[in-house]
Amino acid sequence: MFDVRVPRLLLGPLLRHVDTRSATVWVETDEPCTVTAGPASAHTFTVAGHHYALVVVTGLEPGTATPYEVTLDDETVWPPEGSDFPPSRIRTYPEGGDPDYLMVFGSCRLPETDDPAERKRMGTDALAAYARRMLTEDELAWPDALMLLGDQVYADETTKGTRAWLRERRSLDEPPGHEVADFEEYTRLYHEAWTTPLTRWLMSTVPTSMIFDDHDVRDDWNTSQTWRDEMEQTSWWPKRERHALATYWIYQQLGNLSPSDLDTDDLYKAVLEKGRDGDAADLLDDFAEKARKEVNGRKGTRWSYRRDFGNVRLLVIDTRSGRILSGGARSMVSDSEFEWIEENATGDFDHLLIGSSLPWLMPHAISHLQSINEVACRRPGWRGRLAEKLRQAADLEHWPSFRASSDRLSRLVRRIAETETSTVCVLSGDVHHVYAARVRFPQAVKAAVWQLVCSPVHNQAPAVMRPLFRLGWWRPFAAVLRWWMLRSPDIEPLPVAWDKVAGPYFGNAVATLRTSGRTAELVVERAEGGGEPVLVPLVTLPLTDRAG
């Protein structure tokens, strides 16, 4: 008798890119096999002994909902046997776009844990609470998209369970200690984050877009060239960063791409070819090494991307890996990537959503302090070194600390807002509190412009940080720092102003952005409860003039 192994589904299915007639479904399995999702199939590819497939489903009808199952070599593995969840489904967008559109967004999600102390510290998972509510709703009320704005995994803040697993692999007394070190350890983080039943079902049925932030790689990732130089001196960082980018490409970036993007992606085609019968780890290692390097003011890859949902365009900007830091230059992305952003920010849409893991507009005092610090870090001698220490200690590395890039983004947003576009909303996370700020320009514009921040989904701001965030919004304190900032001949006056309209709110939360024709509305809800989490409304905010 032969022992025939039946492949198992380890992770997924994740419903990723969806348009009017096609979709992509991502899975990880424990064996090479043929994966079927709905009417389409794909063979797995292998990287470092792990097996993945991205199934491209085509030929769907616009504006329809198609339930789907997943089979591995003709064995049905999804939905799980005995599942009480509704069937996973692919809902395509109507031709010409749906006049009503709902996106859920947020950032910073630690995995759920069995440890009581960790559960108490992390609080209630807002994404799980949202999924639980979906179970009670009609399918037509489910969101059209989910946008995860960074820190899907925490490579530097591992749970007790992961630390115990790491301890079985290697000594935690050697660097990087309890942080992850390589490809295998990164895969552990994704499994820990995405296997919770409610979250897994949610991501199998709501199209999900993603972008990384620092904790996906390491806290303060690419804060400055000084930070990079210090990290490069360690024995473990280069490999850690390469494997972070390789796993990001597999687990997050592939699903951000449309079927047409995949058709023209040389790396994807090479990985499929080599990974079908062999192992494509070396291809991804070479790719990641180039991706992390800065050459002649450019980076080796572009992680930013664009998605269209009828009259809504989502433009997601990589504000971490694409930074240019060497040679005295300092920009959030290279000039060539910013030109790509500017090109893709124009088109036929009513609502432009700019996804940036880092807020463009922050509490005023924090914003001014970052602009001051950027200039101070350029000073020679001990003053510059002290300013750099402050930059790293206080996380002064958001858009305002890249003032040339921030001002360029402000000019771009203003140009779009001067057109017939209804809204321009910058969606962000990272800062562990929730707020909405209305944007003003020196000259009147036609569109409503907003900075909308929702963070964290499942984490907590330390108690000591909450009064500091409130202080950051206090206008007298901000006025002092603004006076100090404008005294410097090296800092230009701000080309934009903003007023906080809602927040700051604290605790685990999700935000939903709803558009209907040319109108838009934001709803923010906080997660509360234990075994059966619920969402408690915090604010409902019209983003447009209802008559518009």
Side-chain angles (χ1 to χ4, degrees), residues 218-373:
R218 195 175 199 262
D219 188 30
D220 297 339
W221 180 36
N222 286 344
T223 289
S224 63
Q225 187 60 43
T226 299
W227 184 93
R228 285 204 63 86
D229 291 342
E230 292 170 354
M231 295 303 298
E232 290 288 345
Q233 297 306 308
T234 68
S235 60
W236 53 271
W237 172 250
K239 179 180 179 181
R240 157 82 164 271
E241 189 178 32
R242 285 199 309 273
H243 289 196
L245 293 176
T247 49
Y248 176 84
W249 184 84
I250 295 170
Y251 286 85
Q252 298 195 50
Q253 179 68 359
L254 273 183
N256 292 330
L257 305 179
S258 69
S260 59
D261 290 332
L262 294 170
D263 286 342
T264 59
D265 191 305
D266 292 337
L267 175 64
Y268 180 60
K269 288 186 285 188
V271 169
L272 286 184
E273 181 178 356
K274 186 169 185 179
R276 179 182 176 93
D277 299 313
D279 195 305
D282 59 334
L283 294 179
L284 278 183
D285 202 57
D286 290 345
F287 159 77
E289 179 62 22
K290 294 175 183 176
R292 76 186 196 93
K293 294 291 187 181
E294 180 183 326
V295 179
N296 297 326
R298 299 169 64 97
K299 281 294 182 72
T301 193
R302 188 189 73 233
W303 302 106
S304 302
Y305 61 93
R306 166 188 144 189
R307 297 183 73 167
D308 289 315
F309 310 93
N311 70 334
V312 178
R313 172 165 296 178
L314 173 65
L315 186 59
V316 182
I317 301 175
D318 160 30
T319 56
R320 282 291 176 183
S321 183
R323 296 179 177 189
I324 304 301
L325 303 169
S326 67
R330 183 173 166 84
S331 57
M332 193 63 84
V333 296
S334 67
D335 286 341
S336 59
E337 183 160 347
F338 221 121
E339 289 166 4
W340 179 91
I341 292 167
E342 291 167 332
E343 177 184 346
N344 284 272
T346 60
D348 184 16
F349 48 78
D350 291 321
H351 306 278
L352 176 63
L353 311 180
I354 299 176
S356 166
S357 64
L358 302 178
W360 162 48
L361 303 174
M362 303 186 70
H364 297 91
I366 296 175
S367 177
H368 302 336
L369 182 60
Q370 294 206 24
S371 294
I372 294 168
N373 176 260

Side-chain angles (χ1 to χ4, degrees), residues 151 212-221 320 397 430:
D151 295 343
F212 43 36
D213 199 15
D214 55 345
H215 289 285
D216 291 87
V217 181
R218 195 175 199 262
D219 188 30
D220 297 339
W221 180 36
R320 282 291 176 183
E397 38 88 36
D430 180 73

Side-chain angles (χ1 to χ4, degrees), residues 187-210:
T187 66
R188 160 81 185 193
L189 298 183
Y190 285 103
H191 283 241
E192 190 178 40
W194 291 351
T195 51
T196 306
L198 278 168
T199 305
R200 191 174 187 180
W201 171 78
L202 170 70
M203 296 174 73
S204 76
T205 201
V206 177
T208 304
S209 305
M210 306 177 185

Side-chain angles (χ1 to χ4, degrees), residues 369-489:
L369 182 60
Q370 294 206 24
S371 294
I372 294 168
N373 176 260
E374 182 185 26
V375 171
C377 287
R378 296 200 294 261
R379 292 180 177 176
W382 66 268
R383 293 182 180 181
R385 292 193 297 272
L386 180 61
E388 177 64 35
K389 289 183 180 296
L390 176 63
R391 170 154 63 191
Q392 295 188 31
D395 291 344
L396 304 180
E397 38 88 36
H398 298 78
W399 279 96
S401 74
F402 291 78
R403 267 297 300 274
S405 297
S406 179
D407 289 355
R408 186 171 180 177
L409 180 60
S410 297
R411 293 191 295 271
L412 170 62
V413 170
R414 187 197 67 214
R415 290 198 298 272
I416 301 304
E418 289 171 342
T419 69
E420 295 302 320
T421 301
S422 181
T423 66
V424 181
C425 298
V426 179
L427 313 180
S428 303
D430 180 73
V431 292
H432 286 212
H433 69 293
V434 179
Y435 62 90
R438 183 72 183 258
V439 180
R440 294 180 284 112
F441 293 97
Q443 297 82 27
V445 295
K446 296 179 180 179
V449 180
W450 293 86
Q451 169 71 77
L452 306 175
V453 176
C454 184
S455 163
V457 169
H458 189 218
N459 205 331
Q460 291 288 342
V464 69
M465 296 300 297
R466 297 187 179 194
L468 294 178
F469 285 136
R470 291 191 175 97
L471 179 64
W473 286 112
W474 190 42
R475 286 197 173 275
F477 183 44
V480 172
L481 288 176
R482 183 175 184 275
W483 170 81
W484 185 10
M485 177 181 69
L486 294 180
R487 289 179 64 233
S488 170

